[in-house]
Amino acid sequence: MNKEKRLEILTRLRDNNPHPTTELNFTTPFELLAAVLLSAQATDVSVNKATDKLYPVANTPQAILDLGVEKLKGYIKTIGLFNSKAENLIKTCQMLVDLHGGEVPESREALEALPGVGRKTANVVLNTAFGWPTIAVDTHIYRVSNRTKFAMGKNVDLVEQKLLKVVPKEFKVDVHHWLILHGRYTCVARKPRCGSCIIEDLCEFSPPKKK
Ligand code: SF4
């Protein structure tokens, strides 16, 4: 895909949604970090349902530690893999209290040292809580980038590198939200909704030929 098309795609996505953000509910970097940890293999809606009850009771690392793992499990038991997520969240809270004064560190290295936090989660927190121009490539971004030929790559790391290279600076902070939302609601996995897609004329998707 050429530069002009990419620019037009980004411009349309921006015009369509000038101030995109995550669909996870949060008000502080810690609330975002905890929500992202809870969201692995779960929907944002299910995470929001749990955190809407949890955060009024406990929304800091110390408060979650005070709650304890069993009570924490009670709040998040509707989310998949809640047992291991609760254990990880407690360990993360302990590290945040011990090493970072109970705050979420604005550092990739420190974030990735937390239990359950990989590159993608660190990218989301750095981007969405701190405004860094990072791009967290999830399954939606991976699919949309490859399908449209906007930024092709054989794995998520390669797609991330390609996106960082081809997306102009002014779009970098928001691009991951636009691509996730586009993948979640329009360019869906099974049957992309090309008829109602605002970038259909620019997309280079070639559907497999019917036999
Ligand atoms: S035209 Fe279809 S394949 Fe291309 S981005 Fe839109 S929904 Fe996805």
Side-chain angles (χ1 to χ4, degrees):
M1 177 173 287
N2 67 34
K3 216 166 137 187
E4 289 69 34
K5 269 196 190 176
R6 284 201 190 96
L7 192 60
E8 179 59 24
I9 286 177
L10 291 166
T11 304
R12 281 194 208 168
L13 293 174
R14 179 177 62 189
D15 289 350
N16 184 52
N17 184 5
H19 305 290
T21 188
T22 173
E23 293 187 312
L24 290 168
N25 294 342
F26 75 99
T27 59
T28 63
F30 176 73
E31 286 190 1
L32 176 66
L33 172 63
V36 177
L37 283 175
L38 296 175
S39 73
Q41 295 176 51
T43 64
D44 288 359
V45 173
S46 71
V47 174
N48 289 339
K49 265 193 194 157
T51 57
D52 284 353
K53 293 208 175 91
L54 172 66
Y55 289 163
V57 179
N59 73 339
T60 64
Q62 190 58 57
I64 300 247
L65 289 174
D66 293 344
L67 199 64
V69 72
E70 289 311 319
K71 279 196 184 152
L72 175 60
K73 283 181 186 174
Y75 281 101
I76 66 168
K77 66 175 186 285
T78 50
I79 305 172
L81 310 174
F82 72 95
N83 277 313
S84 58
K85 286 177 181 175
E87 312 277 347
N88 267 342
L89 186 51
I90 290 282
K91 283 186 206 149
T92 289
C93 289
Q94 193 66 58
M95 278 181 77
L96 291 174
V97 168
D98 292 346
L99 302 176
H100 304 290
E103 300 291 331
V104 174
E106 191 178 341
S107 144
R108 174 183 298 288
E109 207 188 348
L111 283 168
E112 289 187 11
L114 298 169
V117 178
R119 184 172 180 85
K120 183 163 73 91
T121 299
N123 275 337
V124 174
V125 172
L126 290 171
N127 174 277
T128 307
F130 298 118
W132 286 31
T134 53
I135 302 175
V137 178
D138 72 346
T139 175
H140 297 299
I141 297 190
Y142 179 75
R143 181 180 66 255
V144 173
S145 300
N146 275 300
R147 200 184 249 172
T148 56
K149 302 194 173 59
F150 185 96
M152 296 175 77
K154 283 195 164 61
N155 59 47
V156 290
D157 289 339
L158 292 173
V159 170
E160 180 185 335
Q161 281 169 28
K162 183 83 182 177
L163 285 168
L164 287 170
K165 203 168 136 199
V166 300
V167 173
K169 203 170 163 207
E170 56 172 312
F171 297 101
K172 266 205 183 112
V173 170
D174 290 328
V175 70
H176 103 254
H177 296 302
W178 290 321
L179 294 179
I180 285 179
L181 293 170
H182 195 64
R184 202 174 271 172
Y185 298 111
T186 306
C187 196
V188 294
R190 281 204 175 174
K191 259 194 166 184
R193 302 183 178 122
C194 304
S196 56
C197 176
I198 59 170
I199 57 167
E200 189 185 8
D201 55 318
L202 303 162
C203 173
E204 295 181 7
F205 177 47
S206 33
K209 298 226 174 4
K210 282 189 186 135
K211 286 180 190 154

